[in-house]
Amino acid sequence: MITVQHLTKTFVSSDGKQLQVLKDVNCHIDKGEVISIIGPSGTGKSTFLRTLNLLEFPTSGEIIVNGKNILSKNYPLNKLREKMGMVFQSFNLFEHLSVLDNVTLAPMKLHGLSRLQAEKEGIEYLRKVGLAEKLSAMPSQLSGGQKQRVAIARTLAMHPDIILFDEPTSALDPTMVGEVQGVIQSLAQEKMTMLIVTHEMKFAREVSSRIFFMYNGGIYEDGTPEQIFGNPQKTETRNFVHLIRKLIFDIENKDFDFYDMTSQIKQFCIRYAMPERMNPITHVVEEMLMLLSKYENPIHIEITYSELDYSSMIVFVHKGETISPLERNDADELSVLIIRGMSKEIQTQQTADGVQLTFFME
Amino acid sequence: MEVPFKRFMRNKHIFIFIMALLYVVLICACHHNKSEKSLQSEADLSGCVIGAVSGTSYEIELTQRKDVKVVRFPTPTDCIVALKNGRIDAFVYDEPAINNDVRKKNGIKLAFKTSKSYPCGLAFRKEDYALVVKFNQFLSELKTSGELQEIQNKWFNAYHYDSVSMTTDNAPIATDGELLRVGTSQTIAPISFSVGKDWRGFDVEIAKRFGRYLGRPVEISLYDFAALAPALQSNAIDIVIGGVFITEEREQLLTFGDSHFSCYGGFFVVDENSQINDGFREGLKRSFNNNLLVENRWEFLARGLWVTIRITLFSIFFGTLLGVGLYLMRKSRYHWLNSIANGYAIVLRGIPMVVLLMILFYVIFTGFNSLVVSIIAFSMTFACFVSSMMNTSIQAVGNGQNEAGIALGFTRWQTFRYIIGPQALKKALPHFKSEAVSLIKNTSIVGYIAIQDLTRASDMIRSRTFEAFFPLLLITLIYFVLAWLMSKLLDYLFKWGTKI
Ligand SMILES: Nc1ncnc2c1ncn2[C@@H]1O[C@H](COP(=O)(O)OP(=O)(O)O)[C@@H](O)[C@H]1O
Ligand SMILES: [Mg+2]
């Protein structure tokens, strides 16, 4: 149904800077497939989705829909968009129209339906997303979850062949995520072709027939949910599906802003709901920096946390050195004691860059 | 009873009107401590506060005296008001212009005449020697026949100017000759003043006779004093009349014909013996009569109102069209169109409205009807406002809904027509309304390019009746009604426009 070949997209900002967001995207989407697109933010998932209905024009490449290249001149773009629904993260309901008018506007103006017909169908779609009783409400009177369901009904009313979802639940309160996911799930059961950008791994796993892992401007790994979540082939995919969060510091010299680093570590711990680890992590980092402060060499620090198994670790690389600072004769004994006490396990490794210490935390 | 009153007070126009009245009352209440001595000659002026009309020779000469405090006013009417309120001790103006009738009605009297007299003449374009020579010839014929003296006596000794007939009144009007365009800034009897659509007065009669002498029809238009010289230089008029003093400074810019009369200035003071203390009702009745009914003066207002309405409505219409065009240029994908639109906005924002009006009238659109020029000028500035208003209100709707429309299959225009437009319009309406209402009032500067709008009409009535407030309050009231009608009209158009 849709084939994408060598798609690239480069944004040029007003001051002439270029940012290549999509580097080389290739994929094929068949009718009836439900594909979830996952990947870290900023890798171009939204951009990819928006090039499919040409809200963004690709810089190069081909998009072939039902055998025709939609990038060729004179391709009837508006007809394409009628058949390719889109649901946005921020709902984008028409604020001046009631719920029912939101759903009936496009069928009336674009498909020439009479008001009566359009409303009859519109109510049908609203019933399907569970909002028939809200038909005369204004968008501002709805909750986020209700708004998103109206947006889905609005898209359905155009009888699309495929629906593109761009993080449909990201702007919702956790309590409302379920109602929207439920609607998408029921569409999947009706064999609606869908492309869903999402951060909800559990949902992606349940609803999809295929997963695209996007990374670094391309589809990095493509497979069934079992393959991608159960047995990912690439490290980046594994890190991502294991929900590994990273915080990285590179200390080049003594002018490093130490207070900013401490505050970033605190925020990181709070964000990923492990405030109890805040103290051990900061202590280990502080003591290590104390030990290393005697030397001029640059230091690389990575703090990682897996949301899947809740494990966390700290990686220290002392560049250009071969001896672990913990094992030096002149190491401050108290510091070494504290560091050993705080970590569950310490591994020392020699790498090309220098000596690397890995602290596994409780 | 209670509810209508609240509604009445809630209406902001009425509220503002009441505030304006209060302001007027407050100003009237500010008195200046009078010096008690009587004024007999120019030497007595020492230490006094003297009113003068700015730009007159009297003002310039008085300013050079260090012992006199000069207060400048735009018209002699304002001088009279200030005198009666005690803000000044005396004022100076052309002695014949403040005739006995005016003195009696206002309770003022002549203290003394200036020691010297000032020669007055008609002014011509610098290079227009042929016309000056002909005029001087014409004038010397009038003088030798004694007719000039006759005309002068007739006007300067008259009590009721409207009953003075002009020798040109019944003469056949030359129709074949080239139009002789005459400009005046005076609307004060007996020099040059208007009665209905007619111009009358001493200078007017001279000009009309001169036209007949040349075999050319005469057209007289009213200009702001400051605009007369540019009007001559840009060929908008051929002659300036209206009791213009011949001064060295002016002779550098203009050429004067021979002087046809000399004028003394008069210093006027309050006449303690006069009794014009009729009650409020009587006073109002008299004002109403003087300002509106006598000589059908209400016609000035009616004509001025019609001019103001036309300028406002056409400017809003064309300004909105032009503004939409500017907005589209700003949003165009062609860089040069953006630059033009931005440049236009920057340039126009920096030009005061009066200057824009003058430049368009005297430099760019010379030969255009002044009404058309004023509509062009106001459309141009209104367009700036419309394009920036569109920008803000469309941005306020947000790009999300725009994308949602496009993604559903609407074209860019349909998205605007059904989704963005109606919401942006709703956001823009209050701003548009207040801008349109202030446009009505801003049009009052068109007097600079010889258009007699509502404000100018009240000036003309004031300079005939020498009444300070009645005409002003009257037009204030009219402007309020116009503002109210405008906002109703826009509400109506908005309702009609947002129906899908
Ligand atoms: N219209 C645009 N102009 C310039 N840069 C953009 C534009 N849209 C997105 N980007 C940039 O492209 C990158 C990818 O964005 P996006 O596709 O939104 O990523 P994702 O949806 O995967 O988080 C980001 O760095 C973003 O800043
Ligand atoms: Mg995104």
Side-chain angles (χ1 to χ4, degrees), chain A residues 91-206:
Chain A
F91 330 127
N92 298 345
L93 293 186
F94 306 141
E95 298 291 333
H96 63 313
L97 298 178
S98 70
V99 165
L100 185 58
D101 287 342
N102 260 278
V103 179
T104 58
L105 182 70
M108 279 165 62
K109 300 294 176 192
L110 296 174
H111 287 170
L113 260 60
S114 70
R115 178 171 286 275
L116 201 72
Q117 239 178 325
E119 289 190 345
K120 210 175 116 212
E121 269 190 39
I123 293 170
E124 220 37 63
Y125 285 114
L126 284 172
R127 189 165 293 143
K128 192 168 179 153
V129 299
L131 286 171
E133 61 175 6
K134 290 275 181 199
L135 55 85
S136 55
M138 293 308 279
S140 55
Q141 299 165 317
L142 302 181
S143 72
Q146 292 171 328
K147 281 184 190 174
Q148 195 60 297
R149 286 187 281 155
V150 174
I152 294 172
R154 177 175 72 178
T155 302
L156 289 175
M158 291 299 282
H159 309 289
D161 293 337
I162 179 171
I163 305 179
L164 314 173
F165 291 85
D166 190 358
E167 302 195 25
T169 58
S170 292
L172 299 178
D173 277 359
T175 53
M176 296 172 187
V177 169
E179 65 192 57
V180 173
Q181 287 180 348
V183 170
I184 299 175
Q185 215 127 28
S186 77
L187 289 175
Q189 273 154 21
E190 293 167 21
K191 293 284 170 257
M192 171 62 79
T193 316
M194 292 186 284
L195 221 53
I196 309 162
V197 174
T198 182
H199 282 296
E200 310 278 344
M201 298 298 161
K202 196 164 156 281
F203 172 66
R205 197 171 186 157
E206 285 165 7

Side-chain angles (χ1 to χ4, degrees), chain B residues 64-82:
Chain B
Q64 280 158 12
R65 282 185 63 165
K66 294 277 177 292
D67 56 341
V68 173
K69 182 167 190 282
V70 185
V71 183
R72 291 159 191 83
F73 295 95
T75 68
T77 318
D78 302 295
C79 292
I80 294 180
V81 180

Side-chain angles (χ1 to χ4, degrees), chain A residues 11 19 21 40-48 56 166-167:
Chain A
F11 286 111
L19 177 67
V21 175
S41 60
T43 45
K45 301 183 297 294
S46 302
T47 307
F48 172 55
E56 297 295 356
D166 190 358
E167 302 195 25

Side-chain angles (χ1 to χ4, degrees), chain B residues 388-401:
Chain B
S388 75
M389 175 202 73
M390 280 179 74
N391 196 32
T392 7
S393 48
I394 286 173
Q395 244 167 31
V397 177
N399 196 36
Q401 294 188 48

